């Protein structure tokens, strides 16, 4: 039996690929036989990852997901190199924390630009590429995973900008799934809880750790390699009849105690 999680012959564009979840997802895709197109603003980390994975399997593009021209050029060049982009992991994200009454317009705009508008631009551009090749008779798979968060479902203290963006990602996922389902393009969301990355250092600190741990059913934080498996599952043939869904990968944080 063929491994339903195989990524053989597939090429996936991963944003925010320089570290954390993006890097772990990229590594797993290559391990399962696929190619990766790596996007990030962090050049050193991105190029180091591309070197580890090998030039035949990975290509690095340094730039911001908020730049439409950069996103369009990346998709075009990657499609020329690999023949087709079959998957997208919309993972790039930032946080800028402040209580609502103290939240600056600058902090609001920065998070919305990357975590919501950036997701839209990448989804739209890769989606256009997928539609074009499908209409030309290409039968290669087409799957998109938008990274959301438990914050998009429950809200988050000190992160109204992040919660709003991640909630918006859920709506974007369902809209895209409805529009593109008839073309065979699947679109789902990965809703993370507390993953041990640079972005969650404050949450995992001594000050907040116990409060969060009390709400996590599995009583532990996850790591990038653990959650990457679920993301790649949604890209793979193992999830061929799943679309428009928000898969919680949070150890039960969304249901709490």
């Amino acid at each position: 039996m063929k491994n339903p999680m195989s990524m053989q012959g597939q090429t996936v564009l991963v944003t925010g690929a320089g570290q954390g979840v993006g890097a772990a997802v990229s590594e797993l895709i290559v391990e399962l036989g696929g190619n990766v197109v790596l996007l990030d603003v962090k050049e050193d980390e991105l190029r180091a990852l591309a070197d580890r994975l090998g030039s035949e399997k990975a290509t690095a593009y340094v730039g911001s997901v908020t730049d439409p021209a950069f996103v369009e050029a990346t998709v075009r060049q990657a499609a020329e190199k690999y023949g087709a982009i079959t998957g997208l992991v919309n993972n790039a994200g930032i946080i800028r924390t402040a209580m609502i009454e103290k939240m600056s317009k600058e902090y609001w705009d920065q998070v919305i630009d990357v975590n919501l508008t950036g997701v839209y631009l990448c989804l739209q551009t890769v989606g256009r590429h997928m539609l074009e090749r499908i209409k030309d008779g290409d039968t290669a798979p087409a799957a998109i995973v938008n990274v959301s968060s438990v914050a998009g479902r429950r809200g988050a203290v000190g992160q109204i900008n992040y919660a709003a963006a991640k909630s918006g990602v859920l709506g974007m996922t369902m809209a895209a799934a409805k529009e593109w389902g008839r073309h065979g393009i699947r679109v789902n969301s990965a809703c993370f809880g507390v993953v041990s990355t640079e972005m969650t250092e404050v949450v995992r600190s001594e000050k907040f750790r116990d409060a969060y741990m009390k709400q996590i059913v599995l009583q532990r934080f996850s790591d990038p390699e653990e959650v990457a498996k679920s993301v790649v599952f949604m890209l793979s043939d193992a999830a061929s009849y799943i679309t428009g869904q928000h898969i919680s990968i949070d150890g039960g944080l969304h249901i709490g105690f």
Side-chain angles (χ1 to χ4, degrees), residues 6-225:
S6 172
M7 298 300 291
Q8 193 71 40
Q10 296 202 41
T11 297
V12 181
L13 189 153
V14 183
T15 71
Q19 62 184 7
V21 173
V25 167
S26 301
E27 290 170 348
L28 183 55
I29 289 169
V30 170
E31 183 179 335
L32 291 169
N35 307 311
V36 285
V37 180
L38 311 170
L39 270 69
D40 208 311
V41 295
K42 298 181 177 180
E43 183 172 3
D44 291 345
E45 291 91 336
L46 197 66
R47 298 208 183 280
L49 175 61
D51 288 343
R52 290 201 307 274
L53 297 178
S55 59
E56 291 185 1
K57 305 296 291 184
T59 306
Y61 294 89
V62 180
S64 173
V65 295
T66 66
D67 181 351
F70 166 72
V71 173
E72 290 175 8
T74 296
V75 171
R76 182 179 65 254
Q77 293 170 23
E80 289 173 356
K81 177 175 180 177
Y82 293 106
I85 296 174
T86 62
L88 166 65
V89 179
N90 253 324
N91 171 71
I94 63 171
I95 56 171
R96 299 288 186 269
T97 59
M99 300 301 280
I100 297 171
E101 66 274 18
K102 297 179 180 179
M103 178 72 65
S104 67
K105 180 66 161 45
E106 180 183 14
Y107 272 16
W108 173 269
D109 287 343
Q110 288 174 349
V111 169
I112 294 299
D113 284 350
V114 175
N115 296 32
L116 187 61
T117 304
V119 170
Y120 163 71
L121 291 173
C122 291
L123 179 142
Q124 181 188 57
T125 306
V126 172
R128 284 172 174 165
H129 162 75
M130 290 176 169
L131 288 169
E132 287 175 5
R133 65 174 181 76
I134 289 168
K135 289 175 181 178
D136 286 340
D138 190 336
T139 58
I144 295 171
V145 178
N146 297 321
V147 174
S148 183
S149 168
V150 66
R153 290 176 153 177
R154 294 180 47 175
V157 174
Q159 295 185 354
I160 190 172
N161 47 3
Y162 185 80
K166 291 303 186 181
S167 183
V169 167
L170 301 181
M172 195 185 308
T173 293
M174 292 183 289
K178 287 184 175 182
E179 288 192 21
W180 293 342
R182 60 195 175 95
H183 300 290
I185 301 173
R186 298 186 298 103
V187 188
N188 292 291
S189 296
C191 299
F192 296 146
V194 182
V195 185
S196 297
T197 66
E198 184 179 313
M199 281 182 61
T200 64
E201 284 182 356
V202 173
V203 168
R204 292 181 291 109
S205 68
E206 185 176 347
K207 181 177 181 180
F208 299 105
R209 177 185 176 88
D210 290 346
Y212 273 91
M213 198 63 73
K214 288 177 182 178
Q215 301 176 63
I216 300 173
V217 175
L218 291 183
Q219 292 291 284
R220 61 181 176 82
F221 300 138
S222 60
D223 59 39
E225 291 72 25

